[in-house]
Amino acid sequence: MTERVFDAHVHVDRGLDGYDLSVEGKNLIFNDVESYRASGARYKTAADCVSLILDFGAEESFVRGEVAAGRVAAVKIHSRIQKIGPMEWPRVARALAVIPPEIPAIVDGFYFGCDLAHQPSLAAVIDLLAAFPQRRFIVAHSGGYRILEYFFHLREFTNVYYELALSLQYLEDSSAFADLRKLIRHTDKAKILFGSDYPFGSPARQRAILGEICTDLGISSDDSDRILYRNAAELFGKDRPA
């Protein structure tokens, strides 16, 4: 079978000139409504889909309208960009409650920077998974350097997915890389997604790292196809027969 790849995490604000991997489709993520308005349709092909920030402020009704119109395949929650602290998570839950349950929610899980007040929250992810059991949640970056905590604390939930964007490359030369391998080895392969986080990571390099892991762990070609293509394509409504 010819290898298929669906990149579950791509940013196009700076264009796609440096995108270095051949893929079947991409999930174009917009972390603010302004960039979505500027670039939402410019780089999208028929094989691609769009995910839009779940605004719980002035643009909340606009986001709901884009979802209702079928122009958005998933909504994104990003605590560092949206300045979501402990007291703001109930507002996030209320905004999510009016989004149809079949729309997946992507929750940023990449810990980075000095703004400790608005880092990702594992506790908030647990609350959302429990509050919306029918909705599928994708942990973007799989928890970053805290991936082992996410792996152990989210194991009881059936509606959680792990997306590998940037973490493959970012953690490659760190002690946390063993935790990333552990997640890939022991997690249901139907719940893992390939992503690049382009332009912050090289899609080709991330594919190469994942390939090395899959070979080393003896992951089957069928499971590899799930991770590289089928899981994301199904989640975002872009699945097609092999």
Side-chain angles (χ1 to χ4, degrees):
M1 181 177 68
T2 302
E3 178 178 275
R4 303 177 296 175
V5 179
F6 193 100
D7 191 334
H9 195 131
V10 178
H11 300 285
V12 294
D13 305 67
R14 306 177 192 176
L16 288 168
D17 289 344
Y19 195 88
D20 57 5
L21 183 67
S22 177
V23 298
E24 296 279 337
K26 301 177 292 298
N27 176 35
L28 311 181
I29 294 182
F30 293 91
N31 285 329
D32 59 76
V33 172
E34 181 180 3
S35 65
Y36 170 77
R37 286 192 172 111
S39 305
R42 185 182 307 172
Y43 301 101
K44 184 176 180 293
T45 72
D48 300 331
C49 63
V50 166
S51 293
L52 179 59
I53 200 76
L54 179 70
D55 192 278
F56 54 90
E59 299 284 11
E60 182 177 351
S61 61
F62 174 79
V63 173
R64 291 204 308 268
E66 292 300 283
V67 171
R71 288 188 282 267
V72 172
V75 291
K76 175 81 178 285
I77 301 166
H78 197 305
S79 60
R80 287 184 291 111
I81 289 177
Q82 294 180 278
K83 300 301 181 185
I84 302 172
M87 303 302 293
E88 283 74 45
W89 282 103
R91 295 180 62 194
V92 175
R94 289 194 294 272
L96 188 60
V98 297
I99 299 294
E102 65 271 16
I103 300 296
I106 303 168
V107 185
D108 177 73
F110 195 74
Y111 294 79
F112 181 79
C114 61
D115 183 6
L116 298 183
H118 301 109
Q119 294 295 315
S121 170
L122 176 56
V125 171
I126 290 173
D127 288 344
L128 290 173
L129 287 166
F132 302 98
Q134 303 305 313
R135 191 184 306 277
R136 294 165 297 178
F137 288 85
I138 304 162
V139 179
H141 316 291
S142 298
Y145 70 79
R146 294 179 63 176
I147 193 168
L148 194 62
E149 294 179 53
Y150 280 74
F151 171 76
F152 280 123
H153 292 296
L154 301 183
R155 296 191 75 177
E156 67 187 81
F157 294 99
T158 60
N159 57 329
V160 63
Y161 292 72
Y162 297 93
E163 176 242 272
L164 304 172
L166 188 60
S167 290
L168 286 163
Q169 188 172 347
Y170 195 80
L171 302 177
E172 184 182 14
D173 59 352
S174 75
S175 60
F177 194 68
D179 301 335
L180 179 61
R181 286 169 51 90
K182 184 178 182 71
L183 179 139
I184 294 172
R185 181 175 186 173
H186 293 289
T187 298
D188 181 353
K189 304 308 179 285
K191 298 298 182 73
I192 305 174
L193 287 67
F194 171 79
S196 69
D197 201 25
Y198 175 85
F200 306 105
S202 160
R205 180 58 189 147
Q206 302 230 123
R207 170 65 190 97
I209 296 170
L210 179 60
E212 293 167 5
I213 294 174
C214 288
T215 298
D216 187 46
L217 297 180
I219 292 175
S220 69
S221 59
D222 182 67
D223 282 341
S224 179
D225 183 63
R226 288 179 182 274
I227 295 170
L228 286 169
Y229 177 82
R230 283 156 54 196
N231 295 335
E234 188 277 328
L235 277 169
F236 301 127
K238 291 294 181 178
D239 50 325
R240 64 169 179 78

